[in-house]
Amino acid sequence: MARLRRRLRRALTAPLDRWRQRSRPVLSIVVPVYNGEEFLDECLTSARKQDYRRVEIVVIDDGSTDGSLAVAQRHAKADARVTVLSQANAGVGEARRAAVAVATGEFLTFLDADDWLTRAGVRAAMDVLEETGSDVSVMPYQRQEGAAIRPPAQWIRSLHARPARHTTLSERPDVLVNAVACAKIFRRTFWDATQLSFPTVLLAGDQIVTATAYRDANGIDISGVMGYTWRRQESSISQGQVTAEAVHARQDAIDAVLEVLTPLPDVRAERALQYLRYNIPNSVLKLERADDAYLDALVERVPRIVDAAPADRYAREVPAQYRVLYALLASGDRDAIWRYVRAEGMQSEMHPSGVEPAGLTSYLPGWQSDPVPPEAYVLTAEQTALKVVVRAVHHDGDNLVLDVAAWFPNVDLSAPSLTIKTDGDLVDVVQWGEPAVFTSRLGSERAYPGSGWTVTLRGVARRAPKQITATLTDGDREGTATAKIPR
C-alpha cells in the first residue's frame, strides 16, 4: 500500500516537477557497456527515472557481442535523452573517454552497465552542488550481491555519516576512501580544466582520477544520501584476481596516487595508512590461495607503503595480524610468511592473547620466533571493542526473552558481568547459553566461554524495544555497545 501511494504521488507531481526543473543544469550520465545485456535494462531504467530529470544519458557500446547494443537502442527510441554510440572493443577507459568527448552536460557522472542509480541520491547531490559551487560531489554507494542489497564497507559508511559542503581534501582526507570513479558528480568545466581522463588499462585506475580531482577541486561536497548501487560480480576486473600481475597493477595505482598527493604530505601519509588498513589486506588475504609469484610481488611492493604511513597511527590503527605480515614481507623471509599464512595468522580471532610489556598481545604464529618486533603483535583498541548480538527472541507470557552473545574479540573472558539497558524496563540477566563462536575461513572454530547470556525484559511483550544497550565488564576491561532486537 505504501509503495502504491508513492507511485501515485509521483504520477501526480511529475509534470509539475519536470516544469520546475526545466532551467536546472544538465547532468551527463556516461554508461560504457561491454556484453552487459543481462543488467543494462535495469541500469538505463534507473538513469532515466531519476528524481533529477535534467539528464542526458550517453551509452557507448564497446564492441559487445551480445544484445547490449539493441537494449541501448531500445532505450534511445523510448527516451530522447538517451544517445547511443558504438566502437570496436577498446576497453572501458577508452569507452569512457569517447563518451565524455560527446557529452554536453554542465555536470558529469559515470555509471557502469551492471550497476544502477538510486532515485534520490543524484538529485540530493545536485541540489547541494548548485548551492555550494563545488567541483565534485561524492555520494555513498551500496553493494548488491544477487538479490540482496548490502551496506558498503564500514569506512565508506563512516565517511558519509559526516556529510560536508564545500570542504577540501586537507580538511577531509577520509574522502579518499571513496575512490571509485562512479558515485561522483564532476563539474564539467573543472573536469576539462584539470584534464581528467581515465587510463586505458583501468585496473585500480579510478583511484588516480578521483585522487587528482579531490586534490585540485575548489570545493568537495560529501553527500549523506545513497546514490549508487554497485553490483558485485566475481568476473569484474577489480575483483577476485590472484595473480602477480594484479598485485603490480594495484600497487602501480597506489604509487601513482601517492605521487599525486605529494604536494600534501599529511594527506599522502593518511592515504598510505588507508591503503594498509582497508585495501592491501584484500590483497594479502589472497595469499591463502596464491602462489610464489604472487608472494614475490607483495614482498617487492608492500613495504614501501608501510614506510609512507605515519608510524604512530600505523601502530594504533592497523590490525595486529596485518602489521605482523607486513613486517614479514619487509624481512623477505618467504618460509616464515608461508608458515604464518597456513597457520591462519591473518585471522587473529583464532589465536590466544595475553598481556605483555608491549601491551595486550595476540600470540599469532611465529610469536617470539619470527623476525618481527613484539609491538607488531599488540592488538588495536578496535580489535578488542565489545561486540553484542541478539541471536534469538521468544515470548514468555508478558516477558520478552533474548538470547544474547557479548564478548571482547581476541580476548578470553575470565569473570564477566553484563548489564542491559532499554527504555527503563525491568531487566533480568543470567549468564547462560551457548558461547559466541568465531569460524575461520578454513572452518576452524574458537569459542568465547562465558559470552552467552539470557536477558529477560519484563512486561514488554507488546511494546518491545528496538534495541538494547549492553555493558560488559571483565576485570579492568569494560565496553558498551548496542544491538538490535530482531523482529
Side-chain angles (χ1 to χ4, degrees):
M1 182 60 71
R3 181 177 297 179
L4 180 61
R5 284 198 297 268
R6 286 196 299 270
R7 288 179 177 175
L8 180 60
R9 185 165 56 250
R10 283 187 180 125
L12 293 173
T13 60
L16 178 60
D17 194 36
R18 280 195 295 269
W19 182 83
R20 287 174 173 169
Q21 291 194 44
R22 69 194 187 284
S23 61
R24 298 197 67 175
V26 172
L27 169 67
S28 296
I29 304 175
V30 168
V31 186
V33 54
Y34 174 72
N35 289 351
E37 178 182 13
E38 181 179 3
F39 301 113
L40 184 59
D41 182 69
E42 181 182 12
C43 168
L44 296 181
T45 298
S46 77
R48 291 172 54 196
K49 292 189 175 181
Q50 284 295 295
D51 286 347
Y52 190 84
R53 302 176 184 277
R54 291 277 289 167
V55 301
E56 68 167 8
I57 303 161
V58 183
V59 186
I60 180 160
D61 179 71
D62 187 36
S64 296
T65 57
D66 64 356
S68 296
L69 182 59
V71 172
Q73 290 172 335
R74 174 164 52 81
H75 279 268
K77 289 180 181 179
D79 193 329
R81 300 174 301 170
V82 180
T83 298
V84 179
L85 309 173
S86 185
Q87 66 178 29
N89 180 251
V92 64
E94 180 64 36
R96 283 174 174 170
R97 293 199 300 270
V100 168
V102 302
T104 62
E106 297 167 62
F107 291 87
L108 184 65
T109 194
F110 298 92
L111 172 61
D112 286 347
D114 50 356
D115 300 337
W116 50 276
L117 298 170
T118 67
R119 288 191 69 113
V122 167
R123 182 166 186 171
M126 288 295 295
D127 287 347
V128 175
L129 275 169
E130 287 188 76
E131 292 178 12
T132 63
S134 293
D135 288 326
V136 182
S137 180
V138 187
M139 298 180 289
Y141 59 80
Q142 56 195 359
R143 301 300 299 261
Q144 181 166 354
E145 299 178 9
I149 302 297
R150 310 289 189 195
Q154 175 273 327
W155 49 91
I156 298 294
R157 299 198 301 271
S158 295
L159 167 68
H160 292 282
R162 297 172 55 222
R165 294 183 172 214
H166 204 71
T167 190
T168 67
L169 181 56
S170 293
E171 293 169 335
R172 290 293 301 272
D174 56 331
V175 75
L176 286 160
V177 300
N178 193 329
V180 296
C182 300
K184 315 288 178 295
I185 299 176
F186 303 92
R187 192 175 294 274
R188 181 60 188 265
T189 53
F190 166 74
W191 180 275
D192 292 340
T194 315
Q195 297 182 320
L196 293 171
S197 182
F198 291 100
T200 299
V201 179
L202 200 61
L203 184 60
D206 282 7
Q207 298 178 41
I208 303 168
V209 173
T210 54
T212 303
Y214 294 153
R215 182 196 67 188
D216 295 342
N218 178 24
I220 302 168
D221 297 338
I222 300 173
S223 176
V225 181
M226 187 63 65
Y228 194 94
T229 304
W230 183 4
R231 193 184 306 270
R232 179 178 174 83
Q233 298 196 79
E234 287 302 320
S235 60
S236 167
I237 63 171
S238 64
Q239 299 172 22
Q241 295 196 17
V242 190
T243 65
E245 291 76 15
V247 172
H248 286 299
R250 293 187 184 99
Q251 294 298 130
D252 285 346
I254 290 173
D255 290 346
V257 167
L258 295 182
E259 179 65 27
V260 165
L261 299 175
T262 297
L264 302 169
D266 291 344
V267 173
R268 183 180 186 273
E270 171 72 19
R271 187 57 176 141
L273 185 65
Q274 291 170 6
Y275 281 129
L276 293 165
R277 292 187 67 187
Y278 310 135
N279 302 91
I280 294 177
N282 183 55
S283 292
V284 298
L285 285 171
K286 291 183 174 68
L287 279 169
E288 294 172 344
R289 51 194 175 97
D291 58 15
D292 288 337
Y294 188 92
L295 174 57
D296 288 343
L298 291 174
V299 168
E300 177 186 346
R301 305 300 295 267
V302 171
R304 71 182 70 172
I305 312 303
V306 176
D307 291 341
D312 56 340
R313 292 187 57 202
Y314 173 79
R316 293 197 309 269
E317 298 178 24
V318 175
Q321 66 268 28
Y322 298 124
R323 299 200 316 275
V324 171
L325 180 61
Y326 297 158
L328 289 171
L329 293 173
S331 77
D333 189 337
R334 287 159 175 77
D335 289 340
I337 296 168
W338 284 127
R339 286 196 303 270
Y340 183 80
V341 170
R342 289 163 184 159
E344 299 190 280
M346 288 183 289
Q347 296 199 269
S348 62
E349 298 93 336
M350 296 306 302
H351 303 280
S353 62
V355 178
E356 298 289 340
L360 181 61
T361 295
S362 179
Y363 299 128
L364 296 165
W367 161 253
Q368 291 188 321
S369 63
D370 284 344
V372 177
E375 57 269 19
Y377 294 86
V378 174
L379 293 160
T380 66
E382 186 176 9
Q383 287 186 277
T384 60
L386 176 64
K387 287 191 176 181
V388 180
V389 178
V390 179
R391 298 179 291 194
V393 178
H394 73 268
H395 294 275
D396 180 15
D398 289 336
N399 301 328
L400 196 65
V401 182
L402 314 180
D403 173 17
V404 176
W407 73 105
F408 299 111
N410 297 292
V411 180
D412 288 322
L413 298 172
S414 55
S417 64
L418 184 72
T419 59
I420 300 291
K421 292 183 178 180
T422 60
D423 297 325
D425 301 306
L426 296 175
V427 181
D428 292 338
V429 179
V430 178
Q431 189 177 20
W432 183 262
E434 294 298 318
V437 176
F438 175 83
T439 303
S440 77
R441 287 183 291 275
L442 296 181
S444 304
E445 293 185 343
R446 176 187 179 180
Y448 287 86
S451 59
W453 306 80
T454 298
V455 175
T456 302
L457 308 183
R458 299 203 170 278
V460 303
R462 294 185 179 181
R463 57 169 190 82
K466 295 182 179 180
Q467 67 177 27
I468 58 172
T469 299
T471 298
L472 183 66
T473 303
D474 188 38
D476 293 335
R477 185 171 299 278
E478 183 175 285
T480 299
T482 60
K484 293 181 179 179
I485 298 177
R487 299 300 180 187

